[in-house]
Amino acid sequence: MKKTRWLVPVCFIIAAILIQVLGPRLVDDDGTISAVIRILGWLVAIIAILIWWLFFSKLRWRTRFLGIAVLAIVITILSALFRFEGFTGGHKAQFSSRLASTKEERAIDYFADRKNPSSTAAESLSIAPNDWPRFRGPANDQTVNSEAIRTDWDTRPPKQVWRQPCGSGWSSFIAVGDYLYTQEQRGEHESIVCYSAANGEQIWIHQDQERFEEAAGGPGPRATPTLHTDGRLYAVGATGMLNCLDPIDGKKHWSTDIVSDCGGELIDWAISGSPVIHEDLVLVNPGTDQAFIAAYDRLTGEKRWQGPEARAGYATPIVMEIQAELQVVIYRADGVGSYALDSGKELWFHPWSNAPKITVAQPIPLPDGGLFVSAGYGGGSILLDITKSDAGYTVTSRWERPNKFKLKFNSGIHHDSHIYGLDEGVLSCFDLSTGKRTWKKGRYGYGQILMVKHAPKAPRLIILTEQGDIALLDISPETMTELARFPAIEGKTWNHPVLRDGRIYLRNDTEAACYDLR
C-alpha cells in the first residue's frame, strides 16, 4: 500500500488560516467582505480535504468510509446539542445550547404570567418636545439636544430602572408620554406592543397571524412604529401588514397588506423601512422586488399612489425640502431617488448601490443642500448636489468614494460638516468637505449610535454595541475617547436606542431595559 501524504491536508489548513489572517487587510478591513472571504476559505479547505480523503489519500476504502461516518456522527451530535441562532453583522455564526429554552419561548413564558392593565391611565396622548415619536427621533437624525448625563460610570454605574425579556425582532422603541411602543414576534404572531416607560409593564398588545424568519437575522418585524400628533399609531410588519391603531388601548382603526396591494415578491430580509407621516399621508416602503415607495391615506388606509416599478431597499422614506419643494426621498436597491408627494412621480434619481443591492442606511440631508449617501457590502459613500431648472432636476456628485466609509445597517450622524458612523463595525469620522476619513478606531460591531448635544460642551456619542454594551464617547473631527462603558443587555443588538429625560431605553431580539444616565 502506498504511503499517505498527510502534508496535503495540512497545507489546505495552513492556507485557510492565512486567509483568515490576511483577508481583512486585503479589503481595507471591510467586515462583510473579509467575513465572506474567511467563510469561503474554510469552505474550500474543508471540501478539498474531503475530496483528498475520499479519492487521493491512498488509505483503504474501509478507512475512508469510516472517517466519513465518524464525521457524520460528530455533526449529528453537535446538531443535537446546539441550535443555530443566526449571524452577527460581521457574518459570524452564533449557536446556543438546545438544553436551554429559546429566546422566543422565554419571552412567551414571561408574558404569560403577567396580565395587562385594563387600559392606559391616559385618556389621550400628545407629543411633547422631548418625546421620541418615530424611528431615529423627531428629526430623523438620532440626536438628542440639551441632555445632561453623567460620565462617572466606573464609580457610579447607571441605575437599572427595569430589565425584562421581549419578543424577537429588530424594531426599536418610540417613547411618548409615559409609554413605549415597539414591534415583536411572539410565536406565530407579529405583535405591536405598548409598555410602561416607568417599569416596563406590558399595557396592551395587538397581534396579527404573521411570521417572517430568515437565517441571518432570525424571526420578527424589522420596522419601528410611528405616533402621529393626531393620536394614531402606525406600524408596518415584516410581511407587509400596515396597521393604524389607537395608542391608548391598541384598538385597530384600519389595516392593509401593502405587499399584496403594491405587488411583487417580498425582498430577502423583509420590510425594514418604518412608516412616515406627512400631512394626510402615510409613506411606506412596501419592500418588494417591484415596489419601494407608496402613500396611503392616514385616516382610511386607502392607497393614494404608488411610485414607479423598481426593487426596494431596506431604508425608511424621508420627507425633505429640496430647491424649495417638499418631496419624499428614499434609498431603493439601485440608488437614491425623490418622488412627488402628491402623485409619486419620480423627480430625480441617482444610482449608488453595491453588488448584492442591499441598501439600508438612511441618506443624510445636509444644511448646504447636499445629500450624503452610504452603503455597506462593499458599496461606499457619495455626496450629491441637487439643482433645479425649467427642465427639471439635475443630480451631480460632489465626490464619490467607492468602498470607503461603508454604513451597513447602521445610519450615520451629521455634525459640523462631518459624519460619524460605524464603518463596517468600526467607529469612524468622515470629513464632508474633502470626502476623506479623518479617523477610524473602536470596534463596536454592528450596533447603533446616538448623539447627545449639551451646549456649550462638545457633543458626545452613545453607542449601543452589537454585544449589548453602552459606551459613552467624547468625539471630535480629530479623534475620539471612550469615557465609560457598561454591559446593558445580553444578545445580538441591532436596534436603535432612545434617550429621553436622562433615561435610555433599549432592546434587542432577547430583552429590553431602561437605565438612568443622570
Side-chain angles (χ1 to χ4, degrees), residues 124-254:
S124 62
L125 204 58
S126 59
I127 300 173
N130 63 329
D131 283 332
W132 195 279
R134 54 164 294 182
F135 178 60
R136 301 190 77 233
N140 185 39
D141 58 3
Q142 202 67 17
T143 298
V144 180
N145 294 302
S146 301
E147 284 277 2
I149 57 177
R150 295 187 293 104
T151 61
D152 57 343
W153 295 358
D154 292 335
T155 55
R156 284 200 303 152
K159 178 184 176 183
Q160 178 181 300
V161 181
W162 52 264
R163 183 175 175 179
Q164 64 192 36
C166 70
S168 298
W170 305 114
S171 174
S172 302
F173 281 124
I174 61 170
V176 177
D178 297 328
Y179 310 109
L180 305 174
Y181 302 89
T182 191
Q183 294 168 256
E184 308 173 10
Q185 193 71 40
R186 302 270 183 94
E188 297 305 311
H189 293 89
E190 204 170 56
S191 306
I192 304 166
V193 190
C194 174
Y195 292 102
S196 165
N199 56 26
E201 181 182 54
Q202 179 177 296
I203 294 173
W204 58 255
I205 183 170
H206 170 88
Q207 296 189 306
D208 294 306
Q209 189 77 27
E210 301 284 342
R211 182 180 176 91
F212 174 81
E213 184 171 6
E214 47 82 21
R222 278 82 168 118
T224 297
T226 298
L227 186 65
H228 186 49
T229 52
D230 69 350
R232 292 191 176 200
L233 183 72
Y234 300 85
V236 61
T239 61
M241 187 59 65
L242 174 62
N243 281 290
C244 174
L245 307 178
D246 188 323
I248 300 299
D249 53 20
K251 291 181 180 178
K252 183 169 66 176
H253 291 295
W254 56 260

Side-chain angles (χ1 to χ4, degrees), residues 1-6 52-53 55-61 63-64:
M1 180 173 143
K2 295 181 181 180
K3 186 177 180 180
T4 301
R5 296 181 178 179
W6 294 101
W52 170 84
W53 177 266
F55 302 108
F56 302 104
S57 65
K58 300 176 183 177
L59 294 167
R60 290 189 176 92
W61 280 105
T63 303
R64 300 183 206 186

Side-chain angles (χ1 to χ4, degrees), residues 1-15:
M1 180 173 143
K2 295 181 181 180
K3 186 177 180 180
T4 301
R5 296 181 178 179
W6 294 101
L7 182 61
V8 175
V10 170
C11 288
F12 288 140
I13 293 172
I14 291 174

Side-chain angles (χ1 to χ4, degrees), residues 270-452:
I271 294 173
S272 300
S274 302
V276 172
I277 310 301
H278 175 71
E279 296 180 350
D280 60 344
L281 298 178
V282 185
L283 301 164
V284 293
N285 175 353
T288 77
D289 58 358
Q290 298 178 15
F292 62 92
I293 185 69
Y296 288 80
D297 188 295
R298 68 175 177 83
L299 296 179
T300 66
E302 179 184 356
K303 186 166 74 172
R304 300 278 286 273
W305 55 257
Q306 180 176 333
E309 184 174 318
R311 184 178 181 84
Y314 298 87
T316 294
I318 305 171
V319 175
M320 56 186 293
E321 185 177 294
I322 299 177
Q323 298 296 324
E325 181 179 6
L326 275 176
Q327 47 202 273
V328 56
V329 174
I330 190 166
Y331 201 178
R332 67 192 210 196
D334 53 351
V336 62
S338 177
Y339 304 87
L341 283 163
D342 61 349
S343 65
K345 177 185 176 182
E346 186 169 281
L347 302 177
W348 56 263
F349 173 79
H350 191 86
W352 190 259
S353 189
N354 46 38
K357 303 299 182 185
I358 301 172
T359 54
V360 190
Q362 291 295 102
I364 300 176
L366 305 175
D368 66 359
L371 187 67
F372 174 81
V373 183
S374 177
Y377 301 92
S381 54
I382 186 171
L383 182 55
L384 301 177
D385 286 311
I386 302 109
T387 56
K388 186 180 181 182
S389 65
D390 293 339
Y393 285 92
T394 302
V395 184
T396 56
S397 61
R398 198 179 307 178
W399 47 254
E400 299 180 9
R401 298 294 181 265
N403 206 35
K404 299 293 182 183
F405 201 69
K406 302 174 291 295
L407 302 177
K408 195 171 180 180
F409 44 78
N410 332 82
S411 299
I413 295 177
H414 170 254
H415 180 70
D416 283 350
S417 300
H418 291 79
I419 299 286
Y420 298 88
L422 292 167
D423 179 357
E424 287 292 346
V426 182
L427 186 63
S428 303
C429 176
F430 210 68
D431 188 339
L432 292 172
S433 63
T434 63
K436 295 182 179 180
R437 189 173 62 207
T438 62
W439 53 261
K440 182 177 182 178
K441 57 181 179 177
R443 295 182 179 276
Y444 296 97
Y446 296 83
Q448 304 292 349
I449 65 175
L450 184 153
M451 180 171 283
V452 182

